[in-house]
Amino acid sequence: MLKKLYCLIIICQFLIPSCIKAQDISLYTQINGRYDFTFIGNTMGPDENEFQYPTFLYTESSATLNLASNDRIERAYLYWAGSGVGDTNVKLNGIDMSPDILSTVVGTSSNLTYFSAFKDITSFVQLTGNGLYTLSDFDLNDLVTTYYDNATQFASWAILVVYENPNLTLNQLNIYQGLEALSPNRPLGIIDNMTIQLDNLYLISNTGAKIGFIAWEGDRLIQFEEKLSFSANGTTNVLSNSLNPSFNAFNGTNTETGATNLYNMDLDVYSIENYIVPGTTSASVSLQSGQDYVMLNTIVTKLNSQLPDATIVLENPISICNSKEVTVDYTVSNLNSTEVLQANTPISFYIENQVIATTYTQNIIPIGSYENGTITLTIPNSIPSNFTLIANVDDTGNGTGIRPELIETNNSFQIEIELTVSPTFNSLNPLTSCNLGLTKGLFNFSSYFEMVKTNPTHLISFHETYNDAVHNINPILNSSNYNAVTTPKEIFVRIDNGCFSVTSFQLLTENCPPVVYNAVSPNGDGSNDTFFIDGLRDIFMNFELLIYNRWGKLLWTGNNNKADWNGYVEEGIGSSLAPSGTYYYILYLNDTNYSEPLTGYLYINR
């Protein structure tokens, strides 16, 4: 507020600031239940401000909190304000406090800045409880001479305390805050004014309705065109009480304690029982001044609002494999409320603005309580497998409700849903390995774990039968060294994402070229006692092997049904014991892939 000026009017016109509005006051929080509020605080000013007086400010001051024994502290907010850009390092009962929010306004004529700081100190006050609170290290003395020419040197602080008491009515507390400044235009006599809208109200009874203010820079000796008004339902009333005349609202008082010496600050509470009617949802506060400089920081309303507040949360969506149904759990709560939520409150479920189902709460939900439920929803075929499911409580299916609530804008919850459908997969090519005999083969298909996936989160397992894959039993554990007893062999692959798909691939064998070991030492020591050809027997079933000496004489013939040659000449062909030396073979594989015989030599060492 503009201060008392004891100098010439023409001098004052240059000294008194006109401040711009900043940090619009708006709803900060809403508290519902058996709550009320009070203010404590104190000034750092030693006296009423005048031109170049006082010349100093205190750096600490105290106030006492004295709640009833059954009052429980719910919230506590500390505010401190003064000249300058802001003292952000103060102490409360010796504990350092730095602001959560710092707001400023700047005078347009003097370019002087004023600030207000805010800090949530709920836990601090809950722990401290009743008693003396001292704000210290709040030192703005180096700014006094900069501001005292227009008598706006000030420093003050306050604590807003919200408390619960079981004997209180069910109320709704709205706390609005910011920092807005009111300063008259020059010359004197031109009235400055501002109006602050109070929304999010809902009044069921006007009994005990009240409004409180935290304001800075008030001066009880400045009374020119100063007015504080409250408007609701088309009617405007000027607020006043025994400490705050209708013509001097901001006069350094605390309605809660009866103090009249809170220089440059106001902690005032007014009854508005006669100015508001049940059903009111909004109101406004208007301030005007022809001289006082006003900084409005915080507005608190207490209204008797016995209403529920329905909210809903969705969780745990479950869909059946390849089904258009999804089951979801929901919780309807009535937490931040002042009345029970009646049974049969509708709940509607939407996808893309399409209502797909409506259900209802089953029981009366008490204040601060909740009800759980589960619903199975059938999803229209036109909806893709990924979609957003929206649930609105107190919604009959057309966006309208049947229950008046404290807050009408918090009834919705949404969750992302992905229907579980069989995963897609990549096709797998057959694997071919060498025939180890009678179509047996050794295979490594471990790389197929990743190759079959179309999504890295898919879970893969291999199985020997389709039934095992479907039931996810008996997985193949040695995919890098799998022994197929016979081929072709079909391996089944399960691809799992909560649902599953099954694909398969073939294991095949081919007759690889045999390997001839051409050293023979038939001495009975168990090593190279016969002429051995690896990859021949039980693979090339119709092979024919001919052994010749170096002069071309046939010594021995063999096939798949005959043992390997052990160096003995067959009866009737010659000597029964082939001597040491070089011999020759011709191997007819009689396989379509090997049309030419394999030839070579072998050496017998006796």
Side-chain angles (χ1 to χ4, degrees):
M1 300 175 186
L2 290 177
K3 315 312 296 178
K4 298 190 301 292
L5 304 179
Y6 291 94
C7 58
L8 295 174
I9 293 295
I10 191 169
I11 298 175
C12 297
Q13 292 176 354
F14 292 99
L15 297 179
I16 302 176
S18 176
C19 293
I20 63 171
K21 294 180 173 66
Q23 293 85 34
D24 288 350
I25 292 175
S26 60
L27 182 65
Y28 174 72
T29 190
Q30 189 176 73
I31 308 168
N32 297 292
R34 300 185 186 278
Y35 296 110
D36 204 340
F37 70 91
T38 190
F39 298 122
I40 67 168
N42 208 343
T43 181
M44 300 293 181
D47 203 348
E48 292 281 349
N49 281 5
E50 299 178 10
F51 176 64
Q52 295 187 349
Y53 175 84
T55 58
F56 73 95
L57 296 170
Y58 296 123
T59 60
E60 69 174 60
S61 61
S62 301
T64 301
L65 179 64
N66 187 25
L67 297 177
S69 59
N70 55 348
D71 291 337
R72 184 189 66 82
I73 296 168
E74 173 68 17
R75 308 279 179 88
Y77 301 132
L78 172 66
Y79 305 83
W80 66 100
S83 309
V85 296
D87 186 343
T88 59
N89 294 287
V90 300
K91 295 181 184 294
L92 184 63
N93 289 4
I95 304 300
D96 289 331
M97 298 287 165
S98 58
D100 300 332
I101 301 173
L102 182 67
S103 303
T104 59
V105 291
V106 179
T108 55
S109 64
S110 63
N111 204 35
L112 294 177
T113 301
Y114 308 86
F115 80 93
S116 172
F118 163 82
K119 185 171 184 62
D120 186 335
I121 58 169
T122 298
S123 59
F124 179 85
V125 177
Q126 287 173 336
L127 182 63
T128 305
N130 284 338
L132 193 68
Y133 287 79
T134 299
L135 191 81
S136 60
D137 286 21
F138 188 12
D139 189 354
L140 301 183
N141 279 288
D142 60 343
L143 299 176
V144 168
T145 56
T146 303
Y147 285 78
Y148 75 173
D149 282 349
N150 62 2
T152 57
Q153 72 280 27
F154 84 98
S156 307
W157 63 277
I159 299 176
L160 164 61
V161 178
V162 176
Y163 60 91
E164 182 182 37
N165 189 305
N167 298 319
L168 292 170
T169 59
L170 291 167
N171 299 314
Q172 178 189 76
L173 270 62
N174 289 301
I175 300 175
Y176 307 82
Q177 64 184 41
L179 185 63
E180 296 198 43
L182 178 71
S183 178
N185 300 299
R186 307 307 297 166
L188 290 175
I190 297 179
I191 300 171
D192 195 11
N193 58 75
M194 64 178 173
T195 298
I196 296 168
Q197 190 68 27
L198 308 178
D199 294 318
N200 299 91
L201 307 177
Y202 196 94
L203 184 70
I204 196 168
S205 168
N206 59 359
T207 302
K210 67 180 185 179
I211 188 168
F213 301 87
I214 297 177
W216 313 113
E217 248 298 289
D219 192 321
R220 65 183 176 86
L221 299 180
I222 301 289
Q223 305 173 8
F224 186 73
E225 294 294 343
E226 183 174 312
K227 186 186 298 183
L228 175 61
S229 303
F230 179 82
S231 299
N233 308 112
T235 302
T236 298
N237 293 276
V238 177
L239 296 177
S240 65
N241 55 35
S242 59
L243 289 182
N244 299 279
S246 60
F247 55 86
N248 193 14
F250 302 101
N251 56 354
T253 59
N254 183 345
T255 311
E256 300 291 85
T257 64
T260 59
N261 59 346
L262 298 185
Y263 310 121
N264 312 121
M265 66 178 292
D266 281 271
L267 304 176
D268 293 324
V269 179
Y270 300 86
S271 170
I272 53 174
E273 284 188 2
N274 299 325
Y275 307 148
I276 197 166
V277 297
T280 299
T281 58
S282 65
S284 63
V285 174
S286 298
L287 297 82
Q288 72 172 47
S289 175
Q291 187 173 351
D292 257 349
Y293 176 46
V294 179
M295 291 168 55
L296 188 58
N297 201 159
T298 304
I299 303 173
V300 187
T301 61
K302 187 200 80 170
L303 306 174
N304 182 236
S305 302
Q306 293 177 252
L307 288 174
D309 182 37
T311 59
I312 189 168
V313 172
L314 302 179
E315 56 188 351
N316 304 324
I318 299 173
S319 63
I320 301 172
C321 186
N322 295 325
S323 169
K324 295 296 284 188
E325 290 187 344
V326 60
T327 299
V328 62
D329 296 334
Y330 61 88
T331 300
V332 176
S333 299
N334 187 32
L335 301 178
N336 189 25
S337 61
T338 55
E339 182 57 283
V340 300
L341 179 66
Q342 294 296 328
N344 296 314
T345 298
I347 307 165
S348 292
F349 297 85
Y350 292 80
I351 301 176
E352 298 179 354
N353 298 319
Q354 178 181 353
V355 180
I356 61 169
T358 298
T359 188
Y360 299 86
T361 59
Q362 300 300 302
N363 306 291
I364 293 175
I365 303 177
I367 297 170
S369 190
Y370 60 89
E371 175 183 290
N372 293 323
T374 300
I375 189 170
T376 298
L377 305 169
T378 299
I379 311 304
N381 290 329
S382 59
I383 301 298
S385 59
N386 296 335
F387 59 89
T388 300
L389 177 65
I390 300 173
N392 290 342
V393 63
D394 192 26
D395 183 345
T396 58
N398 59 7
T400 61
I402 62 173
R403 311 284 186 219
E405 296 182 66
L406 285 173
I407 305 174
E408 296 285 0
T409 58
N410 64 348
N411 299 117
S412 186
F413 188 90
Q414 66 182 43
I415 188 173
E416 299 303 315
I417 301 291
E418 181 177 357
L419 293 179
T420 307
V421 297
S422 294
T424 59
F425 53 84
N426 296 318
S427 298
L428 297 173
N429 294 324
L431 283 180
T432 301
S433 180
C434 289
N435 184 357
L436 300 181
L438 302 176
T439 72
K440 178 181 178 181
L442 195 62
F443 297 88
N444 179 359
F445 46 86
S446 58
S447 63
Y448 279 11
F449 273 110
E450 298 301 324
M451 292 176 62
V452 74
K453 294 180 181 180
T454 57
N455 186 310
T457 64
H458 289 167
L459 300 177
I460 308 299
S461 58
F462 300 112
H463 303 266
E464 292 186 329
T465 70
Y466 178 79
N467 187 67
D468 284 355
V470 168
H471 293 92
N472 199 20
I473 59 175
N474 303 320
I476 295 172
L477 302 178
N478 58 337
S479 59
S480 62
N481 189 35
Y482 179 77
N483 186 7
V485 177
T486 60
T487 58
K489 172 70 175 178
E490 187 174 14
I491 299 297
F492 297 90
V493 187
R494 179 187 173 101
I495 306 99
D496 202 323
N497 66 346
C499 192
F500 70 93
S501 297
V502 175
T503 186
S504 67
F505 61 94
Q506 291 285 337
L507 300 181
L508 306 175
T509 55
E510 63 180 359
N511 295 341
C512 297
V515 177
V516 177
Y517 293 90
N518 56 5
V520 181
S521 57
N523 55 12
D525 64 356
S527 175
N528 300 322
D529 286 334
T530 62
F531 178 39
F532 176 67
I533 300 176
D534 193 15
L536 179 64
R537 291 188 176 277
D538 296 331
I539 298 171
F540 297 93
M541 303 298 293
N542 299 314
F543 78 85
E544 184 180 16
L545 178 62
L546 307 177
I547 305 295
Y548 296 88
N549 64 17
R550 58 183 175 174
W551 294 282
K553 184 177 181 178
L554 180 63
L555 304 180
W556 183 86
T557 61
N559 55 42
N560 197 59
N561 298 317
K562 197 173 181 179
D564 291 340
W565 187 48
N566 58 5
Y568 285 82
V569 179
E570 290 183 325
E571 186 178 353
I573 297 179
S575 173
S576 61
L577 183 63
S580 295
T582 300
Y583 296 83
Y584 298 90
Y585 66 87
I586 299 176
L587 176 59
Y588 296 93
L589 296 176
N590 295 318
D591 186 287
T592 55
N593 293 323
Y594 299 90
S595 57
E596 297 295 326
L598 302 180
T599 61
Y601 72 93
L602 63 106
Y603 185 81
I604 293 179
N605 182 26
R606 292 189 182 275

